[in-house]
Amino acid sequence: MHLLLAGSSAIALGLAGSVAAEPWVRHVIDGSSRGADGVRLADVNGDGWMDAATGWEQGGVVRVCVNPGPKKVRDPWPAVTVGAVHNVEDAVFADLDGDGAVDVVSCAEGKTRAVFIHWAPKGRERYLEAGAWRTDALPVAADAMMWMFALPLQIDGRHGPDLVAGGKNQGAALGWFEAPIEARRVADWKWHELRRVGWLMSIVASDMDGDGDSDLVLSDRKRKESGAYWLENPGVGPAQSGPWLEHGIGAVGLEAKFLTLSDVDGDALEDVVLAVQPREIHWLRRLDRTGLKWQEHVIPLPEEAGIAKAVSVGDVDGDGRLDLVFSCEQAEQPRQGLMWLSSDGPPRGGAWNAHALSGVDGVKHDLVALVDLDADGDLDAVTTEEVKNLGVIWYENPIKSAR
């Protein structure tokens, strides 16, 4: 059952019953440092298995974990420290210099206030050799803001991948670093500001208006106009000097956390799904192909959950309907830091049912990725936990094996 919220165009969707099922089994990918703060995945060696990059905020290191494949995936993964970065907040894979070896970009907040490129060794056999990595700071980013998140993306159609990035608090902005002809000449990278932000959370690239270029979808948790927005790419070449027009999506004025894009209701239009503090998920349903019309559905989190942090979308239980997996912070016992929601019918009708995932295991989880790590046909959950120092971890989906 759903009803219109008083004074709002949002639609409130019901939450049914109590939390079901036992927690999933946790496996440690990397527990070598302190304060694992988010995980970003990519296949860095072409073996078909997703590898992980993580910044350890309290430990002051950036690490890469190489997936050993399904037979050994439950053991700690082979890993390497690719650089030492104080106050590191984010780490993401990107082959910036086009040499075939996948580099890592990290962002730092606090007093460090910098963006670093960790250059991977060209020889694949040396990828796990810490001494073969080299770290450079981007001079144009130095002390400009507390950097929070970066996204490698080709913006101008020239040279290698550019970097979209943004930060938080005083002087914070969203913009992009223009890649030079030779990416390793870090002094040649140029910064282009797109808009001011309060506390940037997500940056996702998607062609929102169907014109063939990548627009930017973002969530901002602290700006006066907080919420989810998208910025319209003016195009490549001379058009790139034009403004990136801003379009609202939803949760405006609310504390918006991480978002993801997914066609939740199967209508061939990509929706936005957003975690909103303190205890909601907003399904921002896209109504047409212009990206200008949206309908907001609010799904409350169960009482057992902590404070909303991130959300991912996937068919967790194999019933053909998409489920929502969400992570939380401030999940001190008896609250849970990682849970999932299943719909008992079409997502716009009926109710959502809550299920345990992590149980009372950890306090502050972050981004959560859904991927079949053990190759058993169902989606497992990859994340990090920062407060109890559980590290880079994954939870094994028991649903396939229970059938």
Side-chain angles (χ1 to χ4, degrees):
M1 181 178 183
H2 62 265
L3 61 143
L4 286 175
L5 295 175
S8 171
S9 61
I11 296 173
L13 301 180
L15 191 66
S18 57
V19 173
E22 293 295 319
W24 299 7
V25 174
R26 168 170 52 88
H27 303 284
V28 177
I29 292 173
D30 185 13
S32 63
S33 190
R34 296 177 295 112
D37 197 4
V39 63
R40 313 279 289 275
L41 303 182
D43 179 7
V44 301
N45 54 11
D47 63 0
W49 308 113
M50 300 301 282
D51 310 298
T54 297
W56 296 74
E57 187 170 5
Q58 283 71 47
V61 293
V62 179
R63 285 178 58 79
V64 167
C65 302
V66 177
N67 191 328
K71 292 183 179 179
K72 297 181 179 180
V73 75
R74 294 174 180 83
D75 300 326
W77 296 7
V80 59
T81 297
V82 304
V85 175
H86 294 297
N87 310 119
V88 60
E89 185 65 28
D90 176 58
V92 62
F93 290 115
D95 181 7
L96 294 181
D97 57 1
D99 66 353
V102 181
D103 313 304
V104 176
V105 177
S106 65
C107 295
E109 57 163 336
K111 294 181 179 180
T112 306
R113 297 165 60 96
V115 175
F116 297 92
I117 302 175
H118 310 279
W119 302 105
K122 291 185 179 181
R124 182 172 295 183
E125 72 282 355
R126 303 188 68 193
Y127 201 78
L128 291 175
E129 185 181 325
W133 288 75
R134 168 187 155 191
T135 296
D136 286 324
L138 287 182
V140 71
D143 205 35
M145 67 187 81
M146 293 187 184
W147 296 96
M148 297 297 290
F149 200 84
L151 175 70
L153 182 67
Q154 179 54 258
I155 296 288
D156 57 5
R158 303 169 64 239
H159 312 143
D162 306 298
L163 287 174
V164 183
K168 73 174 185 180
N169 297 347
Q170 185 176 2
L174 169 71
W176 62 285
F177 296 101
E178 178 185 342
I181 296 176
E182 296 184 24
R184 292 202 179 215
R185 296 181 60 173
V186 292
D188 292 345
W189 286 74
K190 298 177 181 178
W191 169 249
H192 303 274
E193 182 176 315
L194 298 180
R195 76 181 294 242
R196 288 282 162 167
V197 297
W199 186 330
L200 183 75
M201 293 296 294
S202 293
I203 315 169
V204 178
S206 179
D207 184 1
M208 299 294 285
D209 50 6
D211 65 354
D213 56 28
S214 292
D215 307 301
L216 298 176
V217 185
L218 65 105
S219 55
D220 187 341
R221 65 181 287 190
K222 289 294 186 182
R223 187 172 179 249
K224 183 179 179 181
E225 299 85 5
S226 62
Y229 296 83
W230 68 277
L231 301 184
E232 183 178 344
N233 191 332
V236 297
Q240 189 53 233
S241 61
W244 289 59
L245 298 179
E246 179 179 295
H247 306 285
I249 298 175
V252 175
L254 302 179
E255 189 157 357
K257 297 293 195 63
F258 288 111
L259 62 76
T260 190
L261 305 186
S262 178
D263 180 6
V264 176
D265 56 356
D267 64 356
L269 296 173
E270 197 169 51
D271 309 312
V272 174
V273 186
L274 173 70
V276 176
Q277 190 170 322
R279 306 172 61 77
E280 294 174 343
I281 292 173
H282 287 222
W283 167 31
L284 307 173
R285 180 172 174 258
R286 184 169 176 157
L287 299 181
D288 67 10
R289 297 193 180 279
T290 69
L292 302 178
K293 296 180 180 180
W294 302 83
Q295 184 181 57
E296 193 156 358
H297 299 259
V298 179
I299 304 168
L301 299 191
E303 287 298 318
E304 292 86 349
I307 301 300
K309 185 67 178 288
V311 61
S312 238
V313 181
D315 184 2
V316 170
D317 54 8
D319 67 353
R321 293 193 293 263
L322 291 177
D323 309 301
L324 307 179
V325 176
F326 65 90
S327 65
C328 300
E329 55 191 12
Q330 300 180 41
E332 291 86 0
Q333 291 193 32
R335 302 207 179 271
Q336 301 186 28
L338 209 63
M339 304 181 72
W340 66 283
L341 301 173
S342 62
S343 175
D344 61 7
R348 282 185 284 153
W352 290 82
N353 302 284
H355 308 265
L357 202 159
S358 67
V360 290
D361 185 32
V363 173
K364 185 180 180 183
H365 294 77
D366 205 89
L367 291 169
V368 54
L370 300 178
V371 58
D372 184 7
L373 286 182
D374 50 5
D376 67 350
D378 56 28
L379 294 174
D380 307 300
V382 187
T383 188
T384 57
E385 199 285 324
E386 187 175 353
V387 172
K388 282 196 171 180
N389 281 318
L390 301 183
V392 187
I393 51 181
W394 70 279
Y395 292 89
E396 184 174 353
N397 189 335
I399 294 170
K400 185 79 172 183
S401 59
R403 290 181 174 178

